[in-house]
């Protein structure tokens, strides 16, 4: 019997299911002694609530739209049983195609679900809040992935997205803080203090975009003009970003008093935000999150329906062919890399102006690299990359969520989750994804 | 044609010097509307340089180009296209991942503002393809199409830009004989519609079939013009290489012995899951040449790499003299007596940055007499180099010259010298004469037959049907990863093999 990818994935799935089953069994068993009501591990139930967000505005104790009560152990056993069964089929039949990706995706999706049920055994979880968090945390990853797509589709590898985001986060925040001081002086006027101070925040976002564009221009200059290896050039950007932002923070930002106290506000979209489940997931966010959704749809349109998109795809795949029909390959690459950097700048703004308000050293925390994984997961398509971003952010969201439940899996394990999932996805689900053929190659006539 | 027709293109005294080579030496010619003008010449005769100058990819050192009687400055391909000059390159300038329509309109898109007008574009392509009898599916992805259709896309790409002159650079290299005939029909049709065509080739049969006028190039110079109706293949060949050439390889009938190489049921898929090898089984006997014919990219490369251990196989078995060598490391396979002339001379065959002397011991350097303990025995390596350079007539200033600085023919001789001096039982020769001069071709063909007569089993893979027919004792044809037929040489006519190469199984055989 040969060891193949399908068999390996089957084995991995079975392993994960068994470990999960044992862990849940142990953990729930330990809980029995603490409580009196529950006699056996089979008595645990996990409740999934979908709250009624509209009514909750009036009465915080308004009953939920739905509350589904699932027997914890039975549900998890069924899920794990099914995963083990299908894993067994994979090992026995060794199918050549079409099984690996769906199976691995189900292992991840149902695995997450099981962990959630396990964490909320004898308790309840708010589903809309969990899923809304997935979209929120997926925002910078998705925007970063779009930045990567714009660069790589034109044939320039950009591993400097992390650095571009970090620098943009730093200078975007600085732009907002400084402009607020310049406009309002030491303290906000009475009228502005209550509402949202839009002008400096918008200046901040524009500053972040500009910063991203400048960092990207450096990357383009190094890798196109001087033909520096694109991975090296991207690494230079990443290392430089840590230095520049660290210096700026200790020497300027920490000493600088800004009257601005809050970042971008929550913007529920009227009645749409009140739709149960869907409302909180899609229509109750801060501005950059909405912008992300527009950007995903927009880039998909631009890439596949416009002249710019056609030419971008052509120069990333076969620059010589584009050159012979009169397209200036290197000029387009400059343009695309800089646009990519500006998009990464928007992601940077998310960190310092939307996700939180303020700048911390290394606050992008590797999300730029996860963006690249999401881009590969999506096979260099905006919609697919968006899907990949949600997968990675759901690992993150789950991790944050279960910590609130006095969960007995060590928190370090849970914090590893997004990265472990990235590894599994890149190795198992995607297999060998095919990047644009000319990606990473200098174009010389 | 009357004398007062203004030529579509006139070239005067074009000269181009590359370091060490005068690629074009005062070349002049005219191209009239409605004619097919063939340029015949060996590899390295300067045909491609000349065409790249016309298409704006190189700057000439001297000379001028007149288009429709007016002096033209062509600085880049866009200029050439603007002046009505299109080119179909030897390697297609097509983006595999885009559709036919997208490829054709790229650079001159039909648009509504920034948005592509996809519907009208695909309609336009459909019209053009009907107008010139070039059937293409407008919405198919180019990478999924057979090369013959891809070539039509290339031609349409030029026609879409309203060119009235079209350069076809070695257009038949990757086509089956039937596809080539179809191309000739299209070329004739274009000429009848008033387009002027330049047809570059080194295949004598083709020029006589399709050209109105022939210009022969040799070493960068025009050495003569010929009329395809009166010139014989022999005359053209002599003009092309500057001496009389033997077009046939002298060889006696084969005397096949035991099976040396036994390949059974090889199957392989590529990254995209497409079949590359489809249940391939062959036997090669001692003392015979099994030639594998087929259009490039039908699995020949992978088959050869599987046998030499460069390509891992999920299923199937390969036996050498009864011993299983499936998925063994390449060195172990080499040591069991396999000589290998790889198709990619520069990438796989040689280390271009190494000296000739080092390249000559690439497969034996770790054994005595070339090593003594942990160090090389320089004296033995030098002697080996001296001897092989002489025996195999490698033309080089010294043994320490880098392999990369030699001509293709001499590089190939180094590989042959290295591979043939081991004790071998099987020779695998993949595209052994691609892109080298006629003198070296003759030499290598004779060496291959010599190896056969010495009792080696020879597996020859070539995209040049003529080469296979000249050397092989049996001809196997590969199509879409499958061996679609094995014919003894006596039955392997150009037509039968050609049909098999196109995947058409003969009724009579079934």
């Amino acid at each position: 019997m040969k060891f193949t990818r399908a068999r390996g994935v089957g084995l991995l799935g079975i392993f994960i299911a068994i470990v999960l089953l044992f862990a849940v069994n142990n953990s729930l068993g330990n809980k029995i002694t603490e409580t009196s009501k529950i006699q056996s591990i089979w008595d645990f139930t996990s409740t999934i609530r979908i709250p009624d967000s509209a009514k909750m505005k009036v009465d915080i104790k308004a009953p939920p739209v739905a509350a589904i009560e699932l027997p914890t152990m039975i549900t998890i056993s069924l899920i794990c049983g099914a995963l083990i069964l299908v894993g067994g089929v994979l090992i026995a039949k060794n199918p050549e195609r079409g099984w690996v990706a769906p199976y691995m995706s189900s292992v991840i999706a149902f695995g997450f679900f099981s962990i959630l049920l396990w964490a909320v055994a004898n308790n309840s979880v708010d589903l809309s809040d969990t899923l809304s968090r997935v979209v929120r945390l997926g925002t910078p990853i998705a925007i970063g992935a779009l930045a990567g797509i714009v660069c790589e589709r034109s044939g320039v590898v950009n591993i400097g997205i992390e650095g571009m985001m970090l620098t943009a986060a730093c200078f975007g925040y600085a732009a907002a803080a400084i402009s607020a001081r310049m406009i309002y002086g030491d303290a906000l006027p009475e009228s502005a203090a209550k509402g949202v101070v839009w002008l400096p925040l918008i200046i901040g976002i524009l500053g972040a975009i500009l910063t991203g564009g400048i960092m990207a221009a450096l990357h383009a200059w190094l890798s196109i003009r001087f033909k520096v290896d694109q991975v090296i050039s991207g690494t230079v950007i990443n290392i430089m970003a840590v230095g520049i932002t660290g210096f700026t923070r200790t020497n300027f930002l920490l000493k600088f008093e800004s009257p601005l106290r809050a970042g971008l506000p929550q913007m529920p979209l009227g009645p749409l935000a009140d739709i149960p489940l869907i409302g909180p997931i899609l229509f109750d966010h801060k501005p950059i999150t909405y912008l992300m959704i527009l950007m995903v749809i927009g880039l998909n349109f631009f890439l596949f329906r416009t002249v710019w998109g056609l030419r971008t795809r052509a120069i990333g795949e076969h620059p010589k062919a584009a050159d012979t029909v009169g397209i200036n390959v290197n000029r387009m690459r400059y343009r695309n890399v800089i646009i990519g950097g500006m998009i990464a700048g928007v992601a940077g703004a998310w960190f310092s102006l939307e996700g939180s308000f303020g700048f911390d050293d290394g606050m992008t925390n590797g999300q730029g690299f996860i963006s690249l994984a999401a881009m590969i997961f999506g096979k260099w398509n905006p919609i697919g990359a968006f899907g990949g971003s949600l997968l990675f952010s759901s690992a993150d969201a789950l991790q944050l969520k279960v910590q609130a439940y006095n969960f007995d899996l060590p928190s370090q394990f849970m914090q590893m989750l997004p990265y472990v999932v990235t590894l599994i996805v890149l190795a198992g689900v995607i297999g060998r994804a095919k990047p644009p053929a000319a990606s990473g190659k200098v174009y010389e006539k | 044609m009357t004398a007062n027709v203004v030529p579509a293109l006139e070239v005067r005294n074009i000269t181009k010097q590359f370091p060490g080579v005068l690629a074009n030496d005062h070349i002049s010619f005219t191209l009239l509307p409605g004619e097919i003008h063939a340029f015949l010449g060996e590899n390295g005769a300067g045909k491609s340089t000349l065409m790249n100058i016309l298409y704006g990819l190189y700057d000439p050192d001297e000379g001028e180009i007149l288009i429709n009687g007016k002096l033209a400055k062509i600085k880049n391909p866009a200029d050439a296209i603007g002046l009505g000059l299109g080119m179909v390159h030897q390697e297609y300038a097509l983006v595999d991942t885009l559709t036919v329509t997208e490829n054709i309109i790229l650079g001159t898109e039909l648009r509504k503002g920034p948005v592509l007008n996809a519907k009208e574009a695909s309609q336009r392509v459909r019209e053009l393809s009907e107008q010139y009898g070039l059937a293409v599916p407008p919405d198919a992805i180019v990478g999924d199409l057979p090369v013959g259709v891809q070539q039509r896309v290339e031609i349409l790409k030029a026609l879409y830009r309203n060119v009235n002159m079209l350069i076809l650079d070695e257009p038949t290299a990757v086509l089956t004989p039937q596809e080539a005939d179809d191309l000739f029909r299209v070329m004739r049709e274009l000429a009848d519609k008033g387009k002027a065509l330049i047809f570059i080739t080194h295949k004598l049969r083709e020029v006589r079939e399709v050209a109105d006028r022939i210009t022969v190039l040799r070493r960068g110079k025009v050495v003569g013009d010929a009329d395809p109706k009166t010139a014989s293949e022999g005359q053209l060949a002599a003009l092309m290489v500057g001496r009389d050439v033997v077009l046939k390889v002298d060889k006696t009938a084969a005397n096949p012995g035991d099976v040396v190489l036994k390949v059974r049921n090889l199957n392989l898929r590529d990254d995209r899951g497409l079949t590359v090898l489809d249940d391939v089984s062959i036997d090669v006997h001692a003392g015979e040449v099994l030639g594998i014919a087929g259009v490039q990219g039908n699995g020949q490369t992978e088959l050869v790499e599987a046998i030499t251990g460069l390509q891992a196989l999920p299923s199937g078995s390969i036996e050498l003299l009864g011993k299983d060598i499936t998925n063994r490391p390449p060195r172990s396979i080499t040591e069991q007596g396999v000589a290998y002339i790889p198709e990619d001379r520069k990438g796989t065959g040689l280390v271009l940055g190494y000296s000739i002397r080092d390249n000559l011991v690439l497969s034996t350097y770790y054994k005595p007499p070339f090593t003594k303990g942990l160090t090389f025995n320089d004296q033995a390596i030098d002697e080996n180099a001296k001897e092989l350079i002489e025996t195999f007539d490698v033309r080089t200033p010294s043994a320490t010259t880098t392999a990369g600085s030699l001509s293709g023919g001499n590089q190939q001789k180094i590989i042959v010298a290295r591979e043939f001096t081991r004790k071998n039982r099987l020779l695998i020769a993949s595209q052994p004469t691609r892109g080298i001069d006629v003198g070296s071709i003759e030499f290598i063909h004779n060496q291959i037959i010599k190896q056969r007569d010495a009792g080696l089993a020879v597996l020859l893979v070539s995209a040049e049907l003529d080469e296979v027919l000249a050397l092989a004792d049996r001809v196997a044809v590969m199509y879409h990863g499958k061996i679609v037929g094995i014919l003894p040489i006596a039955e392997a006519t150009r037509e039968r093999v050609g049909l098999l190469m196109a995947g058409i199984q003969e009724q009579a055989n079934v």
Side-chain angles (χ1 to χ4, degrees), chain A residues 202-223:
Chain A
I202 288 171
I203 291 172
I205 294 176
L206 293 178
I209 292 175
L210 184 70
T211 312
I214 291 171
M215 293 298 275
L218 176 66
H219 178 51
W221 194 53
L222 288 174
S223 60

Side-chain angles (χ1 to χ4, degrees), chain B residues 24-25 35 70-71 88 184 247 287 312 368 405 418 443 487-488:
Chain B
N24 283 172
D25 186 2
E35 78 164 346
K70 271 182 252 142
L71 205 59
V88 175
F184 297 154
L247 286 171
S405 60
R418 180 184 74 214
F443 178 82
L487 304 170

Side-chain angles (χ1 to χ4, degrees), chain B residues 174-495:
Chain B
V174 289
L175 301 184
T176 63
Q178 284 79 7
E179 281 175 323
D181 287 342
D182 198 48
L183 172 69
F184 297 154
R185 178 189 60 73
V186 168
M187 286 168 64
R188 183 46 61 197
E189 202 160 322
L190 290 173
D192 289 344
K193 290 200 163 116
K195 310 271 180 200
L197 279 78
I198 292 180
F199 172 43
I200 298 174
T201 186
H202 64 273
K203 295 185 186 168
L204 302 167
R205 192 177 60 87
E206 294 177 349
V207 280
R208 302 208 328 135
E209 219 163 281
V210 72
D212 296 316
R213 206 139 61 98
I214 303 172
T215 295
V216 184
L217 294 182
R218 186 171 78 231
R219 296 199 177 162
K221 279 193 190 131
V222 173
V223 290
D225 287 300
D227 183 339
K229 288 181 200 72
T230 55
S232 74
E233 283 194 22
Q235 283 169 328
L236 289 173
L239 208 50
M240 191 162 93
V241 295
R243 63 189 168 96
D244 291 327
V245 263
V246 196
L247 286 171
K248 284 251 185 281
V249 181
D250 280 325
K251 61 164 191 179
T252 52
N255 185 15
D258 298 337
V259 174
V260 173
L261 177 72
K262 190 168 156 190
V263 173
R264 286 292 174 273
N265 311 99
L266 300 192
N267 285 292
L268 184 69
R269 284 165 189 270
D270 67 7
D271 295 349
R272 290 193 294 168
L274 301 177
T275 302
V276 179
L277 292 179
D278 186 358
D279 212 27
V280 172
S281 298
I282 47 170
D283 285 330
V284 190
H285 297 260
E288 73 157 356
V289 178
L290 176 67
I292 295 195
V295 177
Q296 274 174 52
N298 273 291
Q300 300 97 318
T301 306
E302 290 79 4
L303 173 62
V304 165
E305 290 187 346
I307 298 171
T308 50
L310 298 169
Q311 164 75 54
L313 280 171
S315 73
S317 74
I318 301 167
E319 280 178 21
L320 183 70
L321 295 164
K323 219 175 139 194
D324 185 47
I325 56 163
T326 323
N327 290 329
R328 297 284 301 149
R331 180 182 278 186
S332 133
I333 293 172
T334 309
E335 284 179 343
Q336 289 177 52
V338 178
Y340 176 37
I341 304 178
E343 64 172 34
D344 181 7
R345 176 166 61 234
K346 297 180 174 180
T348 323
L350 296 168
V351 181
L352 293 184
Y354 281 11
S355 65
I356 295 170
R357 105 187 232 290
D358 290 344
N359 270 295
L360 283 169
V361 293
L362 274 188
S363 54
T364 42
Y365 67 88
Y366 54 91
K367 284 200 268 199
F370 303 125
T371 44
K372 275 191 299 194
L374 288 174
T375 56
F376 284 126
N377 180 353
D378 280 327
Q379 203 192 338
I381 296 176
D382 285 336
E383 272 166 20
N384 173 66
K386 203 175 148 223
E387 191 190 317
L388 293 183
I389 286 173
E390 215 175 278
T391 321
F392 286 85
D393 189 27
V394 182
R395 312 241 168 111
T396 169
S398 79
T400 48
T401 309
T402 57
S405 60
L406 297 183
S407 74
N410 281 309
Q411 290 179 348
Q412 198 72 336
K413 282 182 191 168
I414 297 176
I415 297 176
V416 168
R418 180 184 74 214
E419 296 296 317
F420 286 9
T421 40
R422 292 195 310 267
K423 273 194 105 152
N424 292 317
R425 302 304 303 268
L426 171 68
L427 162 64
I428 298 172
S430 189
Q431 319 288 357
T433 60
R434 178 185 284 169
I436 65 179
D437 59 288
V438 168
S440 305
I441 293 179
E442 268 188 88
F443 178 82
I444 285 168
H445 281 175
N446 287 330
Q447 286 290 330
I448 290 174
I449 294 301
K450 226 169 107 187
Q451 295 290 317
R452 182 201 75 169
D453 293 341
L456 262 73
V458 180
L459 181 67
L460 167 78
V461 177
S462 177
E464 298 272 349
L465 185 50
D466 293 323
E467 179 168 50
V468 174
L469 294 179
L471 292 178
D473 301 309
R474 288 189 299 142
V475 179
V477 183
M478 274 191 101
Y479 176 74
H480 283 194
K482 216 178 165 73
I483 300 281
V484 287
I486 301 186
L487 304 170
I489 190 68
E491 291 171 30
T493 60
R494 183 165 261 292
E495 290 67 35

Side-chain angles (χ1 to χ4, degrees), chain A residues 386-405:
Chain A
F386 175 62
S389 309
L390 294 187
L391 177 70
F392 295 130
S393 65
S394 55
D396 218 4
L398 180 70
Q399 182 256 120
L400 293 168
K401 192 89 201 167
V402 297
Q403 279 182 14
Y405 284 91

Side-chain angles (χ1 to χ4, degrees), chain A residues 296-379:
Chain A
V296 169
I297 299 168
L299 185 60
N300 203 60
F301 177 81
F302 273 98
L303 206 49
F304 297 109
R305 294 270 180 278
T306 66
V307 174
W308 170 81
L310 178 63
R311 293 181 175 191
T312 297
R313 285 180 289 143
I315 61 172
E317 202 68 44
H318 193 338
K320 182 130 208 172
D323 191 18
T324 54
V325 293
I327 295 169
N328 188 329
V329 174
N330 283 340
R331 190 165 68 198
M332 265 209 89
R333 285 188 172 175
Y334 264 110
R335 199 194 302 167
N336 275 40
V337 173
I338 292 171
I339 293 174
M342 291 165 84
I343 295 175
V346 177
W350 184 90
F351 285 98
S352 60
L353 299 173
E354 178 166 306
S356 61
F357 183 65
F359 179 78
D360 270 326
D361 283 339
M363 77 184 303
T364 47
N365 198 21
Q367 303 284 296
F369 293 112
I370 296 208
S371 291
L372 294 179
M375 170 188 79
I376 296 170
F377 176 90
K379 303 207 150 97

Side-chain angles (χ1 to χ4, degrees), chain A residues 417-440:
Chain A
L417 200 59
Y419 307 97
V420 172
V421 167
T422 309
L423 266 181
I424 292 177
V425 163
L426 288 187
V429 179
I430 303 300
R432 253 182 295 173
K434 222 174 160 200
S439 192

